[in-house]
Amino acid sequence: MREISGRTKTVALFGYPVEHTKSPHMQNAAFAETGIDGCYIAFSVSPGELSGAVQAIRSLGMLGVNLTIPHKEAVLPLLDEIDPEAVFIGAVNTIVNRNGRLCGYNTDGRGFMRSLAEAGIAVAGKRVFMLGAGGAARAVGYYLVQEAASLIIANRTKDKAEQLAADLDRLRPVVSVIASSDPGYAALCGEVDIVINTTSLGLKEGDALPIDSAFFNPRHTVCDLIYHRTPMLQAASSQGARIIDGSGMLLWQGALAFELWTGQPAPVDIMRKALGD
Ligand code: NAP
């Protein structure tokens, strides 16, 4: 156990709730491995307390924080600077305190892409089918659209899919929307190369699958942003598809945040081991 001293710098997670987070385990392992005199704590911050908690980053001289539900969007007006990627996504998951100036970043999308790259999966030239159009879809979509041959979005609320598609299409015009009721839906599912679930379906036991499992085939790479092997991933695997869960994205978004706070390379293997413990 490292000793906390008068010089120890603090990083925190602000969320509501935070009890089940694995981030302190992962980030404290990184501080221990690198010898940086820092520690990471999770704080339960209710929405009404967010503004005061953000001000405390300055007044307590913290290195920065991570933000999770429900603060990622609400924090934007409280910051001094926001990275263009986070502006597009409309959400911040990492704040860096630069001498009292609070700078917001979003490492989710880049974290997802790093997890794919690490697994040897290239998006360039691929047809990508993304299920969902919430905050995580916007974060990963920002990167997918820059490389994919095409990006097709399906979402329960079609208006949200259309809004996200219009925003992403302005970055690169390869984006379209499909409804599950569309007669071409099944054929499209069979033709794409990569399927990505960004919906929260699969988080809870008994959730419906976000896509009919009959559509999967051995050509598919199927990804879920949820950290565990969801029923969708199990179904895809049993049909011969390659599967990737969200644990790599969780690891890499944290590693990228560590690098933003400390300016040093993250000890990724140590952080991965801590997540697995
Ligand atoms: P969000 O903004 O609330 O979006 C939720 C999405 O799920 C929307 O597309 C929503 O559709 C859809 N959805 C929810 N319930 C549904 C249902 N019953 N049937 C069909 N669709 C449904 O949430 P988010 O922040 O994007 O997070 C989405 C998932 O990504 C969560 O499971 C989260 O844990 C995961 N995530 C993982 C990481 C990681 O590091 N691995 C990082 C961020 C997020 P509507 O638009 O129709 O409501």
Side-chain angles (χ1 to χ4, degrees), residues 73 84-92 106 108-109 135-136 138-140 142-143:
E73 292 88 15
E85 175 191 342
V87 170
F88 177 86
I89 297 165
V92 160
N106 192 311
D108 281 339
R138 188 166 277 270
V140 304
Y142 179 84
Y143 284 96

Side-chain angles (χ1 to χ4, degrees), residues 87-227:
V87 170
F88 177 86
I89 297 165
V92 160
N93 76 341
T94 302
I95 298 175
V96 181
N97 179 7
R98 296 204 171 95
N99 301 317
R101 277 188 72 73
L102 300 186
C103 309
Y105 298 86
N106 192 311
T107 63
D108 281 339
R110 247 180 334 134
F112 176 71
M113 297 306 277
R114 290 287 280 269
S115 75
L116 290 191
E118 185 176 49
I121 295 161
V123 171
K126 300 279 170 56
R127 289 162 295 180
V128 180
F129 186 29
M130 185 166 74
L131 308 164
R138 188 166 277 270
V140 304
Y142 179 84
Y143 284 96
L144 292 170
V145 77
Q146 298 177 32
E147 296 186 23
S150 60
L151 176 63
I152 305 128
I153 303 174
N155 190 47
R156 174 179 62 178
T157 309
K158 201 171 178 213
D159 285 357
K160 275 176 69 182
E162 276 168 354
Q163 183 59 59
L164 177 58
D167 292 345
L168 290 171
D169 204 61
R170 271 192 288 279
L171 299 178
R172 198 162 149 256
V174 293
V175 189
S176 58
V177 172
I178 192 161
S180 54
S181 55
D182 189 298
Y185 188 83
L188 176 121
C189 293
E191 285 164 10
V192 296
D193 303 298
I194 303 176
V195 179
I196 304 168
N197 176 41
T198 74
T199 78
S200 42
L201 282 176
L203 264 184
K204 295 194 304 291
E205 215 170 299
D207 275 353
L209 261 59
I211 182 172
D212 188 336
S213 59
F215 295 147
F216 293 128
N217 65 51
R219 279 192 37 258
H220 284 135
T221 295
V222 180
C223 313
D224 204 318
L225 302 198
I226 296 171
Y227 315 134

